[in-house]
Amino acid sequence: MENTTLYMLTETSQFMMSFVLVTKKDNVIVIDGGRPLDMPLLKQYIGGRHISAWILTHAHNDHISGFVDEFEKNGGADFDIEKVYYNFPPYDTLITRTDVPDKAYFDTELNEVLPAFLKIEPLLGDRAHIVKQGDTLTVDECEIEFLFTYHDGLFSNLMNDASLVFTVKTPNKKVLFLGDLGPEAGDVLMDESRGKLGADIVQMAHHGHMNVSMEIYAEVQPHACLWCAPDWLYNEPEIPSYLKNREALRKMGRGRMYGVGLTRKWMDALGVKTHYVTKDGTQEIIL
């Protein structure tokens, strides 16, 4: 490859997240991948290349159920994977916890896809790497640094707030990936890694809604944004119908959650002019 190229794959399934980064040496870094329906498109962009790193940001269906399905089907035989990077909340410890804002929601989060992942985890063998905050790795010309992993006690938005946050730096560009991080975990990220957040390009947390605060993006000062969002989501109002009961959200510990309309206002205020959005199809970004 002449250039380091990042592909943000359009959704075959609803509002999924899937990235394929191809290095100059023709190796691949995969981020999430989406649902089983998204696997054919992912395989098309991987193109049989060696996958030096497959990063799983967090255990939600729209991010990793396709990965899990591939291992359930044939042990991941369709992929040449060197390492898989992840750090998911400890299921056995958390499923018995009662000191959480909304126990029913908490258990639903834990049971969405994490048990299925834990069943296939032994198949990863020595390819599995449990990420620690501060870990770094190098894949050809790409330098990756993990700035945030699961923090015990961030329970109001459990799985999203367990998202891996990391930067990918090439000789020309730096990209910040925020996964599905919400406002509470975003506050922790700001406290712990404020000086490392600056980037040319930012992946908008949680598809651009119910996400980290404006302070995070102001610290990043991006020139371009990556939106994993279909049309209806990208054009969502500041307070969509499902977020109108503000009192209920506050009781759940989720009072700072708003629609994409507000996040887009933040980006306008920061002067961001370039927006890559999956509603417009698969996006190719030269890094």
Side-chain angles (χ1 to χ4, degrees):
M1 293 283 289
E2 183 178 346
N3 299 302
T4 311
T5 306
L6 178 67
Y7 297 97
M8 181 172 67
L9 305 191
T10 194
E11 58 272 348
T12 308
S13 71
Q14 191 178 36
F15 55 77
M16 62 81 183
M17 177 167 140
S18 182
F19 289 91
V20 174
L21 192 159
V22 183
T23 73
K24 291 181 180 180
K25 293 184 178 180
D26 217 31
N27 292 308
V28 163
I29 299 166
V30 177
I31 300 167
D32 287 348
R35 299 181 177 90
L37 280 174
D38 305 303
M39 291 298 101
L41 184 62
L42 179 67
K43 291 175 183 179
Q44 177 184 328
Y45 277 87
I46 291 172
R49 298 179 180 92
H50 175 68
I51 301 171
S52 299
W54 194 319
I55 300 171
L56 304 175
T57 62
H58 66 292
H60 268 161
N61 280 324
D62 56 324
H63 291 257
I64 72 160
S65 62
F67 177 92
V68 171
D69 183 71
E70 288 293 321
F71 274 83
E72 290 175 338
K73 184 171 61 180
N74 61 13
D78 293 348
F79 301 102
D80 175 21
I81 303 172
E82 183 176 338
K83 288 287 184 182
V84 181
Y85 296 85
Y86 60 96
N87 184 335
F88 298 153
Y91 182 90
D92 290 340
T93 300
L94 295 182
I95 196 65
T96 60
R97 294 286 291 263
T98 58
D99 56 336
V100 297
D102 186 330
K103 176 63 174 171
Y105 176 79
F106 187 80
D107 287 355
T108 298
E109 287 281 279
L110 280 171
N111 286 312
E112 181 173 307
V113 70
L114 185 52
F117 175 83
L118 293 174
K119 286 181 180 179
I120 64 96
E121 187 178 26
L123 299 177
L124 301 179
D126 60 6
R127 293 175 293 183
H129 180 94
I130 309 301
V131 176
K132 295 182 178 64
Q133 191 163 308
D135 279 357
T136 61
L137 68 137
T138 300
V139 177
D140 300 332
E141 73 276 14
C142 300
E143 298 177 2
I144 300 172
E145 181 176 7
F146 292 95
L147 306 180
F148 186 90
T149 65
Y150 166 73
H151 283 55
D152 186 55
L154 290 173
F155 290 159
S156 64
N157 188 20
L158 174 65
M159 212 57 74
N160 287 338
D161 277 350
S163 292
L164 293 179
V165 174
F166 55 96
T167 55
V168 178
K169 185 178 180 182
T170 73
N172 300 311
K173 299 286 185 182
K174 184 179 177 184
V175 186
L176 174 66
F177 288 89
L178 292 168
D180 273 4
L181 214 66
E184 284 75 28
D187 292 345
V188 178
L189 174 67
M190 188 72 163
D191 288 342
E192 295 179 347
S193 299
R194 182 172 187 167
K196 296 183 176 182
L197 298 179
D200 302 288
I201 304 170
V202 64
Q203 174 254 316
M204 306 305 288
H206 196 236
H207 315 271
H209 69 161
M210 305 193 300
N211 69 141
V212 298
S213 67
M214 169 62 161
E215 286 83 357
I216 293 288
Y217 296 113
E219 188 69 21
V220 177
Q221 288 291 307
H223 303 300
C225 299
L226 306 175
W227 301 81
C228 298
D231 185 75
W232 68 265
L233 182 54
Y234 188 65
N235 291 295
E236 181 182 59
E238 291 185 32
I239 305 182
S241 58
Y242 60 90
L243 293 177
K244 284 187 175 178
N245 191 338
R246 308 305 296 175
E247 182 179 356
L249 286 170
R250 286 191 290 272
K251 287 180 179 178
M252 295 170 64
R254 308 176 79 196
R256 288 189 289 151
M257 293 193 166
Y258 293 89
V260 170
L262 181 60
T263 310
R264 289 181 65 180
K265 282 186 176 180
W266 294 344
M267 297 307 104
D268 289 343
L270 291 173
V272 179
K273 302 296 184 184
T274 303
H275 298 276
Y276 300 99
V277 192
T278 56
K279 73 178 180 64
D280 300 322
T282 294
Q283 302 294 302
E284 178 179 335
I285 303 103
I286 303 301
L287 301 181

